[in-house]
Amino acid sequence: ENIDSTSETDQTENNDADEGADQEDVENDNTDSANSEAGDEVPFLALGETGVIEDTLGTYEVTPKSFWITDSLGEGEDKIIASNGRFVVVEIEIKNIGTEVLDLKQITQADLFTETGSASPGYSNYPGLIEFVGEINSNESFVGELAFNNSERDYYELAFGAHMPSYISNEIRWVINPEDA
């Protein structure tokens, strides 16, 4: 009886070890699949790095140069309070490296994503900002500001070309850490 019960115990321990190994295999499979999906994701740049957008409007470089966070924009009667708690304002340089004249308002359609995946659009027509208006010729640059009305978060991603099919535009994202403001 002792031999039979010891065998059963050994077999149970082996089954438990096999289940643990099977669980590790499942976890490894999930990790592998996450890694393969990560290869399809958009690469991220750091603040100050330049990305090239190639879309149906033309080809241009985008460089977020700096950013700041504030609860309001403008002064006096023109003062606007952020409805979501804060404005994240990003100073961006656009350089036309294509041959077509570009409309600044059309090419500065950007979104600010948070760690939750939610996004808010950027606008340059708030009081006190350098607005993206007019045209930019080939080999010319323009520096303007986009403000994003967003809640307080630990992490943001500035995205150009988001939500566009690949035949219309590529997508570029920049990591923006609030502690760097």
Side-chain angles (χ1 to χ4, degrees):
E1 288 181 12
N2 286 341
I3 293 172
D4 288 339
S5 103
T6 305
S7 301
E8 288 175 16
T9 303
D10 289 343
Q11 186 61 34
T12 303
E13 288 173 2
N14 287 339
N15 286 344
D16 289 344
D18 288 344
E19 286 175 17
D22 289 344
Q23 181 62 31
E24 286 178 25
D25 289 342
V26 169
E27 289 172 4
N28 287 339
D29 288 346
N30 289 341
T31 303
D32 292 342
S33 106
N35 288 340
S36 68
E37 289 172 12
D40 298 337
E41 291 183 12
V42 174
F44 294 93
L45 300 176
L47 192 68
E49 292 183 320
T50 300
V52 175
I53 293 286
E54 295 177 5
D55 62 20
T56 55
L57 300 172
T59 305
Y60 47 98
E61 293 178 341
V62 179
T63 309
K65 299 177 93 36
S66 64
F67 76 100
W68 67 95
I69 297 171
T70 183
D71 61 355
S72 64
L73 291 170
E75 295 180 6
E77 291 180 15
D78 292 334
K79 186 175 183 175
I80 296 175
I81 305 295
S83 62
N84 288 326
R86 64 186 347 183
F87 287 109
V88 177
V89 182
V90 184
E91 179 188 46
I92 300 169
E93 180 177 5
I94 303 287
K95 181 177 182 182
N96 184 349
I97 59 173
T99 58
E100 302 294 321
V101 175
L102 300 174
D103 182 300
L104 284 167
K105 192 169 192 123
Q106 286 184 330
I107 64 172
T108 54
Q109 303 298 313
D111 294 297
L112 191 68
F113 289 86
T114 68
E115 68 272 7
T116 65
S118 63
S120 60
Y123 299 98
S124 69
N125 59 348
Y126 286 113
L129 296 183
I130 301 170
E131 194 170 351
F132 284 103
V133 292
E135 295 179 336
I136 184 170
N137 293 313
S138 183
N139 294 317
E140 289 184 349
S141 296
F142 184 87
V143 177
E145 298 162 334
L146 288 176
F148 301 87
N149 190 351
N150 211 314
S151 59
E152 184 173 346
R153 297 291 183 184
D154 294 330
Y155 175 82
Y156 299 104
E157 294 173 9
L158 175 66
F160 273 74
H163 312 297
M164 296 292 203
S166 61
Y167 64 89
I168 292 178
S169 178
N170 62 313
E171 180 178 353
I172 300 174
R173 291 189 184 209
W174 290 263
V175 174
I176 296 179
N177 291 310
E179 63 269 7
D180 296 334

